[in-house]
Amino acid sequence: MPTIVNPGSARPLRYLQGYPLETLAQVEQLLQQDRVADWLLKKYPQGHTVRTDKALFDYVQALKSEHLRGAEPLAKVAFDAKLQVVQHALGTHTTISRVQGNKLKAKREIRVASLFKQAPEEFLKMISVHELAHLKERQHDKAFYQLCNYMEPRYHQLEFEVRVYLTHLEVSGARLWGAVGMESA
């Protein structure tokens, strides 16, 4: 897939592919003025306090219980340092199948990139909602995004802001919420 370069800029905006040119121009302007961090920190002044895999499991399980009671149970939810955001994986959902006697047992797992261990709760919720939606809808189609919007009405806006944050990280390398909430680790 080719990388989109904003007209008038040599900077690739690979996380923002598919957005209108006007939106790309606004992001480029924020990048040129070095104001992306200020914009994000003003909207989201602090990171969440979900720091452990157990806390993440409980967080995702609460979302599942609220919105997807009939979906398959989750066996594991964890932060994963091996997930590469560069490969467009903010989180993953997997089904692990095992043979037990004459039955095939499937266990569902969700993994969230450890980059989001120190991010706003809204970003964590967007990623969790995305991965939970895959319990019901496998493909990224209309039904999938309708389910995401049902679980988080601001889903599309939050996804855009996560993409802006990833662009900020690519350009500056500076994480914004690294030290927040560490006392509860």
Side-chain angles (χ1 to χ4, degrees):
M1 180 186 294
T3 301
I4 292 177
V5 176
N6 193 17
S9 168
R11 186 189 324 264
L13 299 174
R14 67 177 162 165
Y15 297 110
L16 298 168
Q17 297 202 19
Y19 287 95
L21 289 177
E22 308 82 54
T23 303
L24 296 176
Q26 289 175 343
V27 172
E28 182 61 39
Q29 183 178 14
L30 286 173
L31 288 167
Q32 286 175 354
Q33 297 171 354
D34 198 25
R35 290 184 27 225
V36 173
D38 294 339
W39 177 70
L40 286 169
L41 288 168
K42 185 175 181 183
K43 285 191 88 156
Y44 307 106
Q46 58 188 356
H48 61 77
T49 57
V50 178
R51 295 285 183 252
T52 65
D53 290 345
K54 167 89 171 91
L56 181 62
F57 181 87
D58 293 343
Y59 178 83
V60 172
Q61 191 64 33
L63 285 171
K64 181 184 173 294
S65 295
E66 183 179 348
H67 300 291
L68 298 173
R69 285 186 200 98
E72 299 176 44
L74 292 170
K76 183 176 185 177
V77 180
F79 288 108
D80 191 340
K82 294 177 184 169
L83 283 179
Q84 297 297 314
V85 174
V86 177
Q87 298 166 338
H88 294 61
L90 306 180
T92 61
H93 63 285
T94 55
T95 303
I96 298 172
S97 299
R98 292 188 177 91
V99 176
Q100 292 181 343
N102 62 353
K103 293 183 181 178
L104 186 63
K105 298 278 186 169
K107 291 187 175 188
R108 304 296 225 128
E109 293 185 1
I110 291 177
R111 296 183 179 271
V112 175
S114 59
L115 165 68
F116 295 99
K117 201 176 213 180
Q118 299 168 348
E121 192 272 333
E122 292 86 351
F123 289 9
L124 181 63
K125 184 174 184 183
M126 186 280 299
I127 294 164
S128 299
V129 160
H130 182 99
E131 299 310 329
L132 281 170
H134 280 301
L135 294 175
K136 291 279 192 187
E137 301 291 337
R138 304 281 191 238
Q139 301 298 318
H140 292 120
D141 56 14
K142 187 176 181 178
F144 174 85
Y145 288 108
Q146 285 176 336
L147 183 54
C148 288
N149 281 325
Y150 163 73
M151 290 189 281
E152 172 49 65
R154 295 181 41 225
Y155 176 83
H156 291 295
Q157 179 64 36
L158 292 170
E159 181 182 26
F160 171 74
E161 291 167 357
V162 166
R163 291 172 177 276
V164 171
Y165 178 51
L166 294 174
T167 301
H168 163 77
L169 285 173
E170 184 175 60
V171 170
S172 75
R175 291 189 183 191
L176 300 180
W177 298 277
V180 177
M182 291 306 290
E183 63 278 355
S184 64

